[in-house]
Amino acid sequence: SQTIHQWPATLVQPVGSPLSLECTVEGTSNPNLYWYRQAAGRGLQLLFYSVGIGQISSEVPQNLSASRPQDRQFILSSKKLLLSDSGFYLCALNRRQPRYYGYTFGSGTRLTVV
Amino acid sequence: AQSVTQLGSHVSVSEGALVLLRCNYSSSVPPYLFWYVQYPNQGLQLLLKYTTGATLVKGINGFEAEFKKSETSFHLTKPSAHMSDAAEYFCAVSEETNAGKSTFGDGTTLTVKP
């Protein structure tokens, strides 16, 4: 079965520091990959998605960027973190076909910017 | 554009009572609809999904949901709540032509009282 490995589980970073969150996929190839952010008590906000290596679509203008250097690797980055970047970050995959399979999520990274 | 509204950010039921979590959606094309569950500090897990065909869908842990096109609703139910059902529940909508992206509601926190 398909799984997503996401790390670290928690992260405390000072304002202005860089960020790199990574997720890797097992059990499937050529998936669509997504980064979501969940603020406390709120729903999920789609940040980026990727339909293939090197293909990144941004949903929200922000301080973050994403990359997909390999088929099963998806990275979320920032050069300088802001306080507003705090939140729970979730990586998810969706099979290309059929797309309605539903998401498989990673276990998430709780980022606190101080 | 697709959207989801979950009515009631908090629902409290007694153990053994009926669980009803409400979800209404908006979509310009026939939607794919999902319910996910999230336990504290974890990723989301797919409970059930509607794609096509039978409008009453059954999922894991005894949950089911009914797609009602005329009411644009996809409410989640469980006949008898268990303490282990306490969690946050998210309704989501996806469109086939939209890179498999899902739009999530703000979530409903379910509390189960002994």
Side-chain angles (χ1 to χ4, degrees):
Chain A
S1 64
Q2 57 198 28
T3 56
I4 292 185
H5 300 282
Q6 191 177 344
W7 67 92
T10 59
L11 191 60
V12 180
Q13 293 285 96
V15 169
S17 63
L19 173 73
S20 181
L21 302 180
E22 183 172 345
C23 77
T24 58
V25 174
E26 288 185 359
T28 188
S29 58
N30 204 27
N32 283 7
L33 295 173
Y34 311 84
W35 277 111
Y36 281 85
R37 178 169 60 200
Q38 184 179 23
R42 300 291 300 275
L44 280 71
Q45 179 187 33
L46 179 62
L47 303 176
F48 301 94
Y49 69 94
S50 171
V51 299
I53 296 173
Q55 300 180 63
I56 307 295
S57 296
S58 174
E59 289 290 297
V60 182
Q62 59 213 330
N63 187 42
L64 302 170
S65 63
S67 62
R68 185 170 177 178
Q70 300 179 42
D71 180 52
R72 301 180 187 185
Q73 184 184 28
F74 202 26
I75 298 171
L76 182 69
S77 303
S78 173
K79 292 182 179 178
K80 290 185 177 181
L81 284 169
L82 305 172
L83 287 174
S84 58
D85 292 323
S86 293
F88 192 50
Y89 288 82
L90 290 159
C91 183
L93 72 86
N94 200 359
R95 286 185 183 177
R96 290 287 183 83
Q97 291 295 338
R99 283 178 178 160
Y100 46 76
Y101 185 81
Y103 283 7
T104 297
F105 281 89
S107 55
T109 295
R110 185 163 302 284
L111 172 66
T112 304
V113 182
V114 296
Chain B
Q2 55 194 29
S3 66
V4 173
T5 301
Q6 290 185 239
L7 301 174
S9 58
H10 291 84
V11 171
S12 181
V13 300
S14 298
E15 192 172 19
L18 172 71
V19 175
L20 172 60
L21 305 182
R22 300 178 186 274
C23 172
N24 288 91
Y25 71 91
S26 173
S27 176
S28 57
V29 299
Y32 300 136
L33 295 162
F34 308 88
W35 275 100
Y36 294 85
V37 61
Q38 184 182 33
Y39 298 99
N41 295 310
Q42 294 185 25
L44 282 70
Q45 179 185 7
L46 182 66
L47 270 179
L48 51 78
K49 63 187 178 190
Y50 168 80
T51 55
T52 59
T55 56
L56 181 64
V57 293
K58 296 183 184 299
I60 61 173
N61 302 338
F63 285 94
E64 60 182 38
E66 186 172 11
F67 170 59
K68 292 187 176 181
K69 184 178 179 181
S70 61
E71 299 177 8
T72 61
S73 68
F74 190 58
H75 301 331
L76 182 70
T77 60
K78 182 174 180 178
S80 177
H82 192 272
M83 296 297 290
S84 61
D85 295 327
E88 190 160 18
Y89 292 80
F90 291 90
C91 182
V93 62
S94 178
E95 295 175 359
E96 177 71 27
T97 57
N98 207 9
K101 294 183 293 182
S102 284
T103 299
F104 289 80
D106 286 341
T108 297
T109 300
L110 175 66
T111 301
V112 182
K113 298 175 292 185

